[in-house]
Amino acid sequence: MTMISFDHRATGYSLAQARCLAYAAELAYKDEERVRATANDWGFDRVTSFRVPHTPPFPLVDTQAYIAANDRMMVVAFRGTQPEELRDWLSDANTLLTPYAAGTGMIHSGFYRALDVVHSGMLDTLENWRADGQSLWFTGHSLGGALAMLAAARTYFEDPSLLADGVYTFGQPRTCCPLLAAAYDKAFRGRMFRFVNNNDVVAQLPPPPLFQHVAEERYFDAKGKLREKMPLAAELADRLKGRTADLLAPGGDGVRDHFINAYLANFDANLR
């Protein structure tokens, strides 16, 4: 069993904290009972889960998230979805932009709806559980990373006392227009960290220029080594190395690199 030890007093960036939040993102894929038991083991005495269904033809069955808290820390984690499903979704008509009511600019309309159904309940819980000196963290993988980023922004814009100490996402797709991305970078400077594993296909969608990533990137190279954002030429060369690493399935690493277990394995290796 993998050992996870949250530092409940943490406030800034660290690789150990990023690893813990990656495991918290992975936990969002589990059932409610497993979420509660594991979060309790991590030292969180309050845990609540959110699961709100969507109606067809919306491509997601539901939106799922959980909040784990103690007197020192609150963690909000969103569930992702399968890479093939998300890739198809981000390539169809759901990639329309819609005005972002809580800030400047526009966001992916599907992400907006997926977040909207759980946001009020999530915000009520955060405000009810908020304590002096308590840190706040958002995390998620894949679709969950997109929702974690947008939830942190919307929560802060609606209640400035709930500015997250950290937003850590893994394999997150682009979520918004360049204008909103710039506003987010300003508000969350030093707090937002977007992890990308080599050729992760979901992190490359939806395409620019209508959609743009937030700036702060941490990149796992083709060998799994964690780097700060690499120069473009070096990153392109490294991505090519990853694509050709498996001669029996050239280019197949785009999906393999997206799975949360690939991120967890890289974190474990980088902390050894």
Side-chain angles (χ1 to χ4, degrees):
M1 181 177 178
T2 304
M3 294 299 296
I4 299 298
S5 180
F6 270 89
D7 177 2
H8 297 140
R9 298 175 181 268
T11 55
Y13 174 83
S14 74
L15 183 58
Q17 182 73 346
R19 175 178 177 266
C20 286
L21 289 166
Y23 275 91
E26 190 265 345
L27 182 61
Y29 286 93
K30 310 302 183 183
D31 61 60
E32 186 172 345
E33 182 178 347
R34 175 75 174 275
V35 168
R36 182 177 300 277
T38 303
N40 289 162
D41 288 343
W42 291 345
F44 297 101
D45 55 13
R46 283 156 281 170
V47 185
T48 188
S49 295
F50 303 87
R51 182 172 184 173
V52 180
H54 295 284
T55 56
F58 195 68
L60 294 180
V61 174
D62 53 27
T63 299
Q64 296 184 47
Y66 71 86
I67 300 176
N70 56 34
D71 289 340
R72 291 285 184 180
M73 173 184 285
M74 289 194 292
V75 174
V76 183
F78 287 85
R79 186 185 189 275
T81 189
Q82 296 301 317
E84 292 292 352
E85 294 174 2
L86 190 56
R87 182 171 62 180
D88 291 344
W89 183 34
L90 296 179
S91 300
D92 68 17
N94 286 284
T95 55
L96 294 174
L97 286 161
T98 191
Y100 186 47
T104 301
M106 304 183 75
I107 71 170
H108 183 288
S109 59
F111 294 153
Y112 184 89
R113 179 176 172 185
L115 174 61
D116 194 56
V117 296
V118 297
H119 179 74
S120 62
M122 181 197 71
L123 185 61
D124 286 345
T125 300
L126 292 178
E127 290 176 334
N128 289 336
W129 288 0
R130 187 68 163 164
D132 289 341
Q134 192 181 39
S135 62
L136 173 61
W137 308 81
F138 288 81
T139 188
H141 165 255
S142 189
L143 166 70
L147 299 183
M149 175 206 152
L150 295 171
R154 184 169 173 180
T155 298
Y156 167 66
F157 289 134
E158 292 184 9
D159 184 349
S161 72
L162 289 171
L163 173 62
D165 292 84
V167 184
Y168 289 56
T169 70
F170 312 93
Q172 171 199 325
R174 296 182 181 93
T175 65
C176 60
C177 73
L179 185 63
L180 181 55
Y184 190 95
D185 288 335
K186 182 178 180 180
F188 287 85
R189 183 173 292 115
R191 299 171 186 266
M192 169 73 195
F193 299 93
R194 179 175 57 82
F195 290 83
V196 178
N197 184 27
N198 196 233
N199 284 310
D200 185 335
V201 64
V202 172
Q204 301 171 42
L205 296 171
L210 289 179
F211 293 87
Q212 182 170 309
H213 271 309
V214 294
E216 193 61 52
E217 179 182 291
R218 294 291 187 271
Y219 176 75
F220 289 110
D221 68 18
K223 294 184 178 180
K225 182 178 180 180
L226 184 60
R227 302 173 180 269
E228 293 190 9
K229 187 171 176 63
M230 298 172 67
L232 180 59
E235 185 170 323
L236 289 174
D238 186 70
R239 290 184 186 277
L240 179 61
K241 184 186 300 183
R243 288 191 187 97
T244 57
D246 185 352
L247 297 179
L248 297 178
D253 63 320
V255 172
R256 291 194 304 270
D257 286 351
H258 180 66
F259 289 114
I260 185 62
N261 285 343
Y263 282 87
L264 300 181
N266 285 340
F267 275 112
D268 291 347
N270 277 269
L271 274 171
R272 287 194 188 106

